[in-house]
Amino acid sequence: MEVGGNGGGLPVNNKQRTMLPNKGARCEFARTPRKDSEGLSESPDLEFEYSDTDKWAAELSELYSYTEGPEFALNRKCFEEEFRAHVSDKKWTDLDAAQHRAHAMRLLDGLEVIAREKRLKAARAILYMAQGSFADCSCEAEVQYWMRYNIFLLLDVGTFPALVELLNMEIDNSAACSSAVRKPAISLADSTDLRVLLNIMYLMVETIQQDDPADKPEWKIMKETFRAELGSPLFNNEPISVMLFGMVTKFCSGHAPHFPMKKVLLLLWKSILFTLGGFEQLQIIKVHKREELGLPPLPEDSIRVIRSMRAASPPASASDLIEQQQKRARREHKALIKQDNLDAFNEKDPYKADDSREDEDDNDDNDNSLEPETFPLERDEVMPPPIPHPPSERVSFPKGLPWAPKVREKDIENFLESSRSKFIGYTLGSDTDTVVGLPRPIHESIKTLKQHKYISIAELQMAKEEEYQKTPLSVGEEEVEMCATELLYQGILPSLPQYMIALLKILLAAAPTSKAKTDSINILADVLPEEMPTTVLQSMKLGVDVNRHKEIIVKAISAILLLLLKHFKLNHIYQFEYMAQHLVFANCIPLILKFFNQNIMSYITAKNSISVLDFPYCVVHELPELTAESLEAGDNTQFCWRNLFSCIDLLRILNKLTKWKHSRTMMLVVFKSAPILKRALKVKQAMMQLYVLKLLKVQTKYLGRQWRKSNMKTMSAIYQKVRHRLNDDWAYGNDLDARPWDFQAEECALRASIERFNSRRYDKSHSNPDFLPVDNCLQSVLGQRVDLPEDFQMNYDLWLEREVFSKPISWEELLQ
């Protein structure tokens, strides 16, 4: 599959159940879950709480690969040599604030020396400070305390701008780039300087953005100042995120294969998160914007609703189904004592299906469909007839749907138009108030629809933009709020398509379903050691490290894309559409489907981590001797937080790209996404199931009657968990939009609107000449002073000879 092509497809093999990781990579998967007496898979709910990031300690440990382990001691050595030379034999933790500051300033001066070795030594000493001066600490909590103290000290003395300057020097270091391009195999040693600088910058951003109630008041002021500086074009006349995007594209173009891409992406993610804000901040901005625009408040807090939802039971495997059928057949055989008994039982059973294919799945997928917990009687198990149960025990209906229904203005217009043409015989266009001649039940329906009408910020922004395009003189200049999101969009606008293609290329290379190809980019430059492993234990450790490295890259890219999409959508809908369209053009939809076309339970329960080697544990404890058995066992966690986080983010991106876009929804159908998405329902986590069900809901009407008939349990789960649009025939295929899709026309119309928006708002050089002021006075035009270049003035005689005297002039033609 090619990222950035003009619309390549994803060849999905319907029979293929899983896609294994790369041959060279080693994945640790959880053991098969045990089966209970009924043959159903035992799959407990995953105790996963979705958040902007994982716990602080986990985010710190993921910065370092296990191959970098020996460098902790090297950083300490560089610091101690400098410390002993200028300070007494005291510990760092015993000094007072003035001595701490003086030494930090001394190290900062060391970053400005010309000799590269001395500069690197000073940078390593600063990195040791940012890592919490761990040699003087006895536990992880103490390391984290001193990290926070030291990092605010480094920020106060002006370390970050100095690091940005050094990073710019390293990015432009053509000697290092050309040397890396010529090398047959790139290793950790090729990116030493870059890694040290990026490590310090990441630790500073990650630590400062953490909220701590014990922070001093001056630290809180410094934090807000730092946030504003990161998002402003202070460094190199561009926000820090734009500089990091530049590194990503340079790496993908092949000009700098030694860039440590995992660290660049992590720093990019945390910079965007810190400057723009996370999901709770997004909700606050959304509420505030709706108030400003005079819109009614949101019907509910989506974050709170999702967190309170419970997961549905995962589908059973094929072997479990066979076992169930055999046991059911044995039970039915015992029950067939008298035919009249069986007939009586059939009469009593209101849930017995008439269609023998009810529990068969579609031809594309042999997995059983999703079975919600709140409808136990939908199960295909025969109820024993002799034991009567009270209705309260037999049926447990949901107490209420989690989401308030929404209706768009367009839905009300469509409903009224169809009602008028049916009862009156004519239509009134977009008039939604006139109900003359319509029967009373239609009046009630319109009233209900209007009660649940939802006007989004995007609709108002699109209407306002249309007004700017139609009547630019009467509307006047637009006042654009220069918030962090707007500054970032202006910074990445010129090269946004290249940035999106670069991110997707790296995502493709890091996906576990990707095959190793000669033309794919090498994302392992900052994990492979100089000398390849010679023992089985070293090979196993490197295998875990490589898999973990890829997982962290997937996590960072999915978080970056989702954050940008959500913030751009809130800032202006056409900023979101511009980014989303370039993701679609770069084959993002088939790429995400390809990612999910694997054993997703195995990916979520993968144990590619060695907890004793994680920072800060590894610097304050004696390391036990690693054995093949301890590596094989992994840790005891129920699931891998980062992998589940990545899966949810990728599903949310897919939802963002396809929502209300008929042509993109049809892409989901064409790429046979339904069986791939249904397999993802096996993960028993409410939020992940919700986004899978949303993606299934939008394409249900196009999958055919037989698919809907065979997947009634999935349909039931969609009804329970996904928001309702009151007159949306999602389950029946009677929608007006169920027309032949013209991908090109729809995308071209959207692209034209986006280009008009970008041209009007950002391209001041190509503004419409009809609306520019014109000076018609000959005297003032000729009287304007024009500064001529110096070389022109020196050669004025030559210019006169060549351009005036030597050229024949036809005065008759000129006069005419």
Side-chain angles (χ1 to χ4, degrees):
M1 180 188 147
E2 183 188 350
V3 171
N6 292 326
L10 168 67
V12 178
N13 181 352
N14 297 336
K15 302 292 181 187
Q16 187 176 352
R17 310 308 305 144
T18 59
M19 291 186 73
L20 297 173
N22 298 352
K23 280 185 182 177
R26 173 186 156 279
C27 282
E28 292 291 321
F29 294 145
R31 294 182 177 84
T32 310
R34 292 180 294 126
K35 289 178 286 182
D36 64 12
S37 58
E38 293 299 318
L40 294 170
S41 297
E42 269 189 25
S43 181
D45 280 21
L46 300 182
E47 296 296 326
F48 172 84
E49 188 173 334
Y50 185 83
S51 180
D52 294 315
T53 61
D54 200 351
K55 294 184 178 69
W56 187 35
E59 294 295 338
L60 294 177
S61 69
E62 288 179 358
L63 174 64
Y64 310 102
S65 61
Y66 297 141
T67 321
E68 289 179 272
E71 295 192 12
F72 290 121
L74 184 57
N75 299 339
R76 175 185 171 183
K77 184 185 172 191
C78 292
F79 175 83
E80 286 180 348
E81 284 177 6
E82 190 73 22
F83 190 64
R84 298 285 173 264
H86 295 94
V87 187
S88 63
D89 292 338
K90 284 184 180 179
K91 286 182 176 181
W92 173 259
T93 51
D94 296 336
L95 301 182
D96 59 25
Q99 290 171 307
H100 283 152
R101 187 181 176 82
H103 191 65
M105 296 284 283
R106 198 176 297 119
L107 290 177
L108 191 57
D109 290 341
L111 290 180
E112 296 179 7
V113 297
I114 297 169
R116 175 179 286 272
E117 293 78 14
K118 289 182 179 177
R119 209 164 55 228
L120 178 61
K121 200 172 175 183
R124 283 198 180 280
I126 289 172
L127 176 55
Y128 173 77
M129 281 180 66
Q131 287 169 343
S133 317
F134 50 79
D136 302 332
C137 303
S138 56
C139 65
E140 293 168 59
E142 211 174 323
V143 172
Q144 290 178 1
Y145 168 81
W146 281 103
M147 271 185 76
R148 198 161 181 80
Y149 174 85
N150 290 347
I151 280 169
F152 273 103
L153 172 63
L154 290 170
L155 181 66
D156 191 30
V157 298
T159 309
F160 200 83
L163 294 171
V164 174
E165 280 183 33
L166 285 175
L167 184 61
N168 267 317
M169 279 172 52
E170 290 301 326
I171 292 168
D172 298 333
N173 186 348
S174 54
C177 291
S178 56
S179 159
V181 168
R182 288 196 302 271
K183 273 194 172 184
I186 300 168
S187 67
L188 273 173
D190 297 297
S191 59
T192 304
D193 294 43
L194 278 165
R195 282 187 297 106
V196 170
L197 295 172
L198 289 166
N199 280 346
I200 304 169
M201 291 168 78
Y202 177 85
L203 289 173
M204 289 184 77
V205 173
E206 174 61 22
T207 304
I208 292 166
Q209 76 167 342
Q210 296 290 328
D211 288 319
D212 191 338
D215 280 352
K216 305 170 189 173
E218 56 267 28
W219 283 9
K220 290 176 181 174
I221 296 166
M222 282 164 66
K223 175 181 175 177
E224 291 309 312
T225 309
F226 184 54
R227 188 203 303 272
E229 286 175 355
L230 268 189
S232 305
L234 293 181
F235 307 110
N236 239 9
N237 295 324
E238 59 189 15
I240 192 80
S241 304
V242 179
M243 186 178 83
L244 295 169
F245 267 122
M247 289 184 77
V248 174
T249 46
K250 192 171 181 181
F251 171 79
C252 286
S253 65
H255 298 310
H258 65 299
F259 280 2
M261 211 22 61
K262 182 187 85 175
K263 295 180 191 297
V264 173
L265 291 168
L266 284 173
L267 179 57
L268 176 57
W269 169 30
K270 294 304 168 66
S271 301
I272 293 170
L273 180 62
F274 185 35
T275 53
L276 306 191
F279 299 118
E280 292 191 1
Q281 184 67 25
L282 270 164
Q283 192 75 3
I284 293 166
I285 297 169
K286 192 173 185 178
V287 169
H288 179 64
K289 275 211 164 188
R290 289 185 70 83
E291 280 177 11
E292 278 185 347
L293 294 167
L295 292 173
L298 293 164
E300 70 276 298
D301 183 343
S302 54
I303 297 171
R304 197 172 298 164
V305 173
I306 291 172
R307 281 180 179 164
S308 65
M309 288 175 78
R310 289 183 59 211
S313 301
S317 66
S319 59
D320 293 340
L321 287 175
I322 293 165
E323 196 172 335
Q324 275 180 277
Q325 286 169 1
Q326 288 171 348
K327 288 189 177 184
R328 189 164 60 242
R330 285 199 293 272
R331 283 202 302 269
E332 285 173 0
H333 181 69
K334 289 175 186 175
L336 287 173
I337 300 166
K338 289 183 181 178
Q339 185 63 38
D340 57 343
N341 285 355
L342 184 62
D343 293 338
F345 170 63
N346 281 339
E347 285 169 19
K348 288 177 194 173
D349 186 0
Y351 298 97
K352 186 159 179 66
D354 296 325
D355 188 356
S356 61
R357 286 185 54 85
E358 183 187 351
D359 290 306
E360 291 179 17
D361 208 341
D362 59 330
N363 295 330
D364 289 336
D365 189 8
N366 293 324
D367 288 346
N368 189 18
S369 31
L370 184 76
E371 186 173 345
E373 286 182 345
T374 46
F375 290 113
L377 290 177
E378 278 197 359
R379 295 192 185 120
D380 183 34
E381 295 168 6
V382 175
M383 293 184 295
I387 307 169
H389 288 288
S392 59
E393 290 180 21
R394 293 177 62 223
V395 185
S396 61
F397 290 105
K399 289 178 183 176
L401 297 169
W403 304 100
K406 284 182 181 177
V407 181
R408 294 182 299 168
E409 183 76 23
K410 183 184 172 186
D411 298 330
I412 300 175
E413 287 173 16
N414 289 341
F415 177 74
L416 267 170
E417 193 173 327
S418 63
S419 301
R420 284 171 185 149
S421 58
K422 182 178 177 181
F423 292 105
I424 307 172
Y426 65 89
T427 59
L428 297 173
S430 58
D431 181 354
T432 57
D433 297 320
T434 307
V435 290
V436 177
L438 296 175
R440 179 156 292 282
I442 299 293
H443 291 205
E444 294 295 322
S445 300
I446 294 164
K447 184 182 174 185
T448 306
L449 288 173
K450 286 187 173 180
Q451 276 176 355
H452 293 95
K453 186 168 84 167
Y454 177 78
I455 303 168
S456 66
I457 295 170
E459 287 174 73
L460 294 188
Q461 288 172 340
M462 289 169 82
K464 191 74 177 169
E465 181 59 27
E466 202 174 329
E467 202 178 335
Y468 278 120
Q469 297 292 348
K470 281 183 179 176
T471 56
L473 293 175
S474 57
V475 176
E477 280 288 318
E478 182 187 12
E479 289 183 15
V480 181
E481 184 191 352
M482 299 307 286
C483 59
T485 310
E486 184 63 35
L487 289 168
L488 179 59
Y489 182 76
Q490 290 183 16
I492 66 173
L493 176 61
S495 306
L496 189 138
Q498 290 85 346
Y499 296 154
M500 294 305 107
I501 290 171
L503 286 176
L504 292 183
K505 274 186 176 178
I506 299 170
L507 181 61
L508 177 64
T513 50
S514 294
K515 302 284 185 291
K517 293 180 184 173
T518 50
D519 60 338
S520 64
I521 49 179
N522 176 21
I523 55 170
L524 304 177
D526 52 334
V527 71
L528 296 177
E530 277 188 278
E531 296 177 4
M532 291 309 282
T534 52
T535 65
V536 174
L537 183 65
Q538 287 175 344
S539 299
M540 288 178 73
K541 182 182 163 189
L542 183 60
V544 170
D545 208 1
V546 165
N547 282 345
R548 173 178 177 266
H549 182 80
K550 289 181 176 180
E551 289 171 2
I552 294 166
I553 286 176
V554 172
K555 172 187 173 185
I557 291 176
S558 60
I560 289 166
L561 292 176
L562 182 61
L563 270 174
L564 288 178
L565 285 170
K566 286 190 77 68
H567 277 284
F568 286 159
K569 188 171 185 180
L570 205 49
N571 198 49
H572 199 289
I573 184 64
Y574 282 128
Q575 295 177 350
F576 161 81
E577 295 291 7
Y578 185 53
M579 178 178 166
Q581 192 166 63
H582 280 292
L583 285 173
V584 172
F585 289 164
N587 278 343
C588 185
I589 291 175
L591 172 54
I592 293 176
L593 292 176
K594 178 173 179 161
F595 180 89
F596 280 97
N597 196 23
Q598 60 170 312
N599 187 336
I600 209 72
M601 272 305 292
S602 296
Y603 183 71
I604 281 167
T605 54
K607 296 182 177 177
N608 292 311
S609 59
I610 308 166
S611 52
V612 292
L613 297 181
D614 284 340
F615 178 86
Y617 183 92
C618 64
V619 293
V620 289
H621 293 91
E622 284 292 323
L623 295 185
E625 188 179 347
L626 290 175
T627 62
E629 289 74 25
S630 63
L631 286 182
E632 197 74 48
D635 52 21
N636 296 321
T637 52
Q638 185 191 15
F639 58 90
C640 177
W641 195 96
R642 65 173 163 265
N643 289 358
L644 190 44
F645 175 81
S646 305
C647 288
I648 291 172
D649 278 2
L650 289 171
L651 287 167
R652 294 183 75 182
I653 291 164
L654 204 50
N655 268 290
K656 289 255 172 253
L657 297 182
T658 54
K659 190 175 182 182
W660 304 122
K661 301 287 188 300
H662 177 67
S663 58
R664 296 178 193 173
T665 302
M666 292 307 296
M667 285 175 76
L668 292 177
V669 179
V670 168
F671 292 133
K672 293 185 170 65
S673 65
I676 297 172
L677 293 168
K678 273 187 60 190
R679 283 201 294 277
L681 289 172
K682 288 184 176 181
V683 180
K684 205 171 177 189
Q685 204 281 324
M687 191 172 185
M688 183 164 168
Q689 287 182 348
L690 171 68
Y691 288 109
V692 172
L693 292 169
K694 277 186 172 188
L695 288 166
L696 285 170
K697 179 186 174 181
V698 293
Q699 54 180 314
T700 300
K701 61 170 84 80
Y702 311 114
L703 294 174
R705 184 171 174 273
Q706 186 56 53
W707 189 92
R708 297 195 289 273
K709 194 173 172 184
S710 305
N711 290 275
M712 287 310 294
K713 292 167 187 171
T714 306
M715 303 282 282
S716 175
I718 291 171
Y719 179 85
Q720 269 187 291
K721 293 182 177 296
V722 183
R723 188 191 299 278
H724 287 268
R725 301 275 169 176
L726 288 184
N727 50 352
D728 178 14
D729 282 346
W730 64 270
Y732 305 105
N734 301 326
D735 199 327
L736 296 170
D737 284 343
R739 59 192 182 277
W741 59 299
D742 186 350
F743 176 84
Q744 206 168 4
E746 201 170 323
E747 293 295 343
C748 284
L750 179 61
R751 190 174 194 170
S753 300
I754 294 164
E755 283 176 354
R756 283 196 297 270
F757 164 76
N758 282 334
S759 175
R760 179 191 66 77
R761 204 189 232 199
Y762 304 110
D763 195 358
K764 299 299 179 188
S765 60
H766 294 91
S767 51
N768 194 327
D770 295 341
F771 302 137
L772 292 175
V774 179
D775 189 352
N776 294 316
C777 177
L778 185 67
Q779 193 172 1
S780 68
V781 170
L782 292 174
Q784 284 179 2
R785 178 176 177 79
V786 179
D787 291 325
L788 299 170
E790 193 176 336
D791 57 340
F792 179 82
Q793 293 178 25
M794 289 172 68
N795 299 301
Y796 180 60
D797 296 338
L798 288 172
W799 181 83
L800 276 177
E801 183 64 40
R802 190 176 69 241
E803 298 292 333
V804 181
F805 301 141
S806 63
K807 291 205 172 176
I809 299 170
S810 176
W811 295 103
E812 291 81 4
E813 286 183 23
L814 191 65
L815 289 170
Q816 286 173 6

